[in-house]
Amino acid sequence: MNEKVLKPFNQALSGEINIPGDKSISHRAVIFGSLAQGTTKVTHFLDGEDCMRTVNAFREMGVTIQEDGESLVIESNGISALSEPKQPLNFGNSGTTTRLMLGILSGLPFFTTVFGDDSLSRRPMNRVVNPLRQMGANIDGRNSGNLLPLSVKGSKLKCIDYTLPVKSAQVKSAILLAGLLAEGETRVTEQTPTRNHTENMLKAFGADITSDGYTTVITGKNQLKATNVHVPGDISSAAFFLVAGAIVPGSKLRLKNTGLNETRNGIIEVLQKMGANIAIENERTVSGELIGDIQISYHSLKGITIEGEIIPRLIDEIPVIALLASQAEGTTIIKDAEELRVKETDRITAVCDVLNTLGANITPTEDGMVIEGKTKLNGGSISSYDDHRIAMMGAIASLITADDVIIDDISCISISYPDFFKDLKSLK
Ligand code: S3P
């Protein structure tokens, strides 16, 4: 246990942060670099624990991956050169590693066992196992293959035409990766668009893939070609400081080189609708992804309703958006976010418990929550639920509490943002 006592701050924050690399894009850069033939250099890579699980999985399969500060150099002889891992693969806390790797391992000619920590071992895998089995995958494990540990005996895969029953980029990506290894044309359709980094990066690595934003079609058996990837700053990490800038009176922050991909930018729309003082500068496209600098300063806020197609575009930001809403005048309603129940923890329960302990007024619902603002936050002892985004949300809350905030265990923050407290300190 790594407890942290945060003294109330209650002063304006100012300064700028170069936002660390995007977690989703870092995973994908390692995956595609390892599947491609040649040398791939990844710059501004996020060396958080989750992404290192993906790196280590490919090292176990014979790929040479060297770390050099914020860069990775991946040397691979392509998909056919990957070899059977000698030991079970430990995916730790990483849902992205697990679900995307299941898509790949299903089509590789060897046997693998994968396992993870307590949180990952509770998360549903049938959302990927079911479509992969329809493609001919041989996957088994606890609860009929729904829960880790799982074993995969690679087989010849056939293509599929699949409509996603859940709003999940991980499921979409697992099927597209299996489709890359399968014979023929695989189609994945989603009713509500989710993050499209897999589609963008597959294109950059030379795959035969097209997408209209709802249906993506990939033709299998294509060898990928190595290319360099620059990883944008993670908007999900920037979100903590966007909210800090919006709720701490007098603050003015600049979050540099942040990813602004339209499938991820829901938090910016929410801040604008709530009346925040936010501006985007220096917009440009790097490695196929839109990035820019975000300027945010304190302003009074009003409650809004957050529902429908925007939910997948801000799903990971909802814990810190709940904190934001607790400082907005009026009612904020979050709906259609039932996916929060199966994240690193049940984030509806965790957010309501943590913020209500600190003095907020939030009522959980089946698929979201109702937040009454604006409330004064007192302080108190909270649990991180061993969930990085809950721990960071608690730390940001302490910037406006009257008393200390004591978080039981902050070690989980290294999953996605190892330098979080260093960056926070730089703004004080
Ligand atoms: C991710 C997709 C989302 C997100 C997760 C990362 C990805 O999960 O919550 O943090 O990299 O594809 P789901 O696909 O389960 O919605």
Side-chain angles (χ1 to χ4, degrees), residues 106 125-137 139 157-166 170-172 174-176 178 186 188:
S106 294
M125 294 301 151
N126 51 9
R127 50 182 57 203
V128 288
V129 170
N130 292 342
L132 291 173
R133 280 179 176 157
Q134 286 178 38
M135 297 177 83
I139 305 176
L157 300 178
K158 48 183 189 290
C159 54
I160 191 178
D161 185 345
Y162 194 73
T163 299
L164 293 185
V166 281
Q170 292 176 353
V171 178
K172 172 176 65 176
I175 300 168
L176 292 174
T186 290
V188 187

Side-chain angles (χ1 to χ4, degrees), residues 69-83:
E70 275 194 348
S71 299
L72 282 187
V73 180
I74 306 169
E75 281 168 86
S76 174
N77 288 323
I79 297 172
S80 56
L82 296 176
S83 57

Side-chain angles (χ1 to χ4, degrees), residues 1-4 344-347 350-351 353-354 381-395 406-413:
M1 286 293 225
N2 186 359
E3 186 186 91
K4 180 110 180 158
E344 284 81 334
T345 188
D346 173 346
R347 284 186 175 158
V351 164
D353 170 37
V354 166
S381 289
I382 56 173
S383 169
S384 67
Y385 284 77
D386 229 355
D387 179 330
H388 52 132
R389 301 204 195 278
I390 301 296
M392 288 187 274
M393 182 268 280
I406 302 146
I407 309 179
D408 65 343
D409 192 359
I410 54 153
S411 359
C412 49
I413 291 177

